Amino acid sequence: MWPAALLAASAASAADQHLITLKASAMPSGQLAYEMVSHKVKSSTGKESDLTDRYASGPTIPGPTLVMKEGDVAEVTLQHGIADSALPVSIHVHGVHFKIDSDGTMKVLNGVADEAAFPDKPYTYKWTAAPGTAGTWAYHDHAFGNPMLGAEDKGLFGTLIINPASGKVPALIDGKIVDVDLADVKREFIIWMHETTFWGQELNHIIEGGKEIPLWTNPTVGARLGEKVRFHVMGIGTAFHTFHLHAHRWIEPGATAGVDTVNIGPISRTSFIVKAGEGVGPGDWHYHCHVIQHMQSGMMGDFRVIE
Ligand SMILES: [Cu+2]
């Protein structure tokens, strides 16, 4: 169950080993999406835990949000679950380290192998969240229906969060840039900007054991006044966006001043922590793309802050 290479890879770094199985499926809408089959973790102390119940059941857009920390390693196996299709489907990941046989592309691109799942023939990728890879990253298909490009645009994309080994992230809180302990962040909102639609997901750390909650399109996300919440905003598709959240400010990674709007292009992203309602109080604080054409197409939602 625990491959020897995986065990050896992480033994020296005293980090977690993740054994993850995902499936690419078709939804009734005709869109494609990844779903979680199984996620098990073995810690440096040898403790094994099964995180599978944390995830939503069935395929979701975006796909399952995978969370690791710097130093962790993962084996990610993809199953082909797209009925009525024998076309290969894959996972290409951003941000972490991997060998060429875990690139998630087809031989026509990588010159090595067709690194994709076929019906009844899963494919396994190996990722290393090496030091320096902390951040919020995309994973997406790079094969289905087009051996050069894949079908990320049909819904085959998801999020990989690599938390820093320190467990702390700088944030603008009460007017000062401070290091926030991620253990104090109770909710994380994953918001993808695809053409003129937001696709959302919440990681809720308040529910015992943690829970991933699909929020689907243009969602209302919510928090209690004063809670520290973390947003991960990502782009996919062809459009360029400007993500804006009313009445809140945050810092971009490495920045020393607050912003309230960030440019988001395909597969670019921002990740930030805010204190809900800081200085402004409760309310339905709007968030939206600030490209007028996208706003006019309904690309908006609310950040509901309650007492
Ligand atoms: Cu936009």
Side-chain angles (χ1 to χ4, degrees), residues 240-241 289 291 294 299:
F240 285 79
H241 309 277
C289 178
V291 176
H294 298 175
M299 194 170 195

Side-chain angles (χ1 to χ4, degrees), residues 7 25 113 117 123 141 167 209 232-233:
L7 293 169
S25 302
Y123 194 89
D141 171 59
H232 307 267
V233 182

